[in-house]
Amino acid sequence: MEEGMSGFCNRSGSFFSKSGSSGTKCGRWNPTSEQVKLLTQLFRSGLRTPSSDQIQKISDQLSFYGKIESKNVFYWFQNHKARERQKRHKLSFDDKYANSKENIIDVSTQIFGGMYEVPEVDRVTETLQLFPLNSFDESESEKFRVHANECSDNMMFSYTMGGQVEHPPLDLCLSFI
Amino acid sequence: MEEGMSGFCNRSGSFFSKSGSSGTKCGRWNPTSEQVKLLTQLFRSGLRTPSSDQIQKISDQLSFYGKIESKNVFYWFQNHKARERQKRHKLSFDDKYANSKENIIDVSTQIFGGMYEVPEVDRVTETLQLFPLNSFDESESEKFRVHANECSDNMMFSYTMGGQVEHPPLDLCLSFI
DNA sequence: TCCTTATGAATGAATG
DNA sequence: CATTCATTCATAAGGA
């Protein structure tokens, strides 16, 4: 059933896995319907970003219905929230009869309408900024913003990438830097 | 588009073309394996929070292997450090054989006892050996890390395999968690 | 059997 | 430094 999966999820590719070794099969969690149901229920109750204890407890509970780890719960909420939001965004474009009010900007807040029973975790987080600065479509304006200085207090970055600096063949030694 | 600017949109691209989502807009830095390797190397050498000067130099060096900006280096170290710590701070055994030691113990107590104030100690040490810390370089495959949970603070979940923990029949109430 | 979609997982980028 | 958002990759599931 789940033996055919080659397992490893490598993203950047370009390396080989010793798939032969061990049972590391990296199979991913797939939730049972009860688990999904309960998670969804929680989400719809307003829980968006569970704290660690909450995650922990949820995970505990859900483990009754099937194998699960805390991180699964964590990811689930992250993904669910993100996708809900992105769906919203898409919809706001598409939704003709969405009556103009603040459907474009305020999407996230109107979902839950403020009926939280949830402790206090969210409601701040969701109103962050939907489009930071550089949303998805900067396209050719300029993708490399020079806003690097905000990383740290006084950090100034310079770009040397096009340069013709003498590079060491293949190694970076700490002592050098 | 800019194809000459190598180094950015080079991901996976191996077997089985996935859905043509490779529009390759690639707004964000996508490190090459050499870059990751070197960064990891530095990290493992003990570099945790490089100064701007160091960042600059590192970036400069790494630009040989692909497009990179200083801020990428900066973020990389931040993220790597944070996630490394996270990983370490909360044990989590991945599926299967959770070491039976601590996973079973306080399940019931912490669920129902409400006071699951775990002393924040982590006996991670032994678990650490299970997962090689260094994913990229010397082990086999990087993406393998079965790294546990990166949820939040003290997370400890339980596997009730065969256990007789008293689980609620079929409902999770928000008020509980 | 192949293609499409849904979604778990991972990580770059920010923000406080 | 911690927490969160955004985006992308990989894979399981479902349809044609």
Side-chain angles (χ1 to χ4, degrees), chain A residues 60-77:
Chain A
D60 276 351
Q61 300 295 312
L62 293 187
S63 71
F64 181 65
Y65 306 107
K67 191 151 66 92
I68 191 174
E69 300 175 54
S70 320
K71 70 168 190 176
N72 301 136
V73 176
F74 173 77
Y75 282 136
W76 191 92
F77 275 95

Side-chain angles (χ1 to χ4, degrees), chain B residues 41 51 72:
Chain B
Q41 201 172 295
S51 65
N72 300 135

Side-chain angles (χ1 to χ4, degrees), chain B residues 37-51:
Chain B
K37 184 163 148 183
L38 289 173
L39 286 168
T40 304
Q41 201 172 295
L42 288 172
F43 186 88
R44 299 192 55 222
S45 295
L47 188 56
R48 292 181 18 159
T49 309
S51 65

Side-chain angles (χ1 to χ4, degrees), chain A residues 24-116:
Chain A
T24 328
K25 66 190 195 149
C26 187
R28 70 182 198 186
W29 172 60
N30 75 325
T32 67
S33 45
E34 289 89 359
Q35 288 174 331
V36 172
K37 186 159 121 186
L38 291 173
L39 285 169
T40 304
Q41 197 174 298
L42 288 173
F43 187 88
R44 301 194 54 202
S45 297
L47 186 58
R48 289 176 30 122
T49 309
S51 66
S52 359
D53 341 325
Q54 289 177 313
I55 289 179
Q56 142 85 57
K57 286 175 179 138
I58 294 171
S59 175
D60 276 351
Q61 300 295 312
L62 293 187
S63 71
F64 181 65
Y65 306 107
K67 191 151 66 92
I68 191 174
E69 300 175 54
S70 320
K71 70 168 190 176
N72 301 136
V73 176
F74 173 77
Y75 282 136
W76 191 92
F77 275 95
Q78 289 255 142
N79 284 321
H80 203 72
K81 177 168 47 173
R83 275 155 188 158
E84 203 65 23
R85 175 178 299 152
Q86 110 181 342
K87 187 179 303 178
R88 255 337 122 143
H89 283 168
K90 259 195 172 179
L91 233 144
S92 69
F93 277 163
D94 188 67
D95 207 11
K96 305 307 193 258
Y97 30 73
N99 72 31
S100 71
K101 247 206 21 208
E102 59 253 315
N103 56 339
I104 300 188
I105 310 176
D106 221 354
V107 282
S108 50
T109 43
Q110 69 189 14
I111 307 178
F112 300 110
M115 44 70 75
Y116 305 100

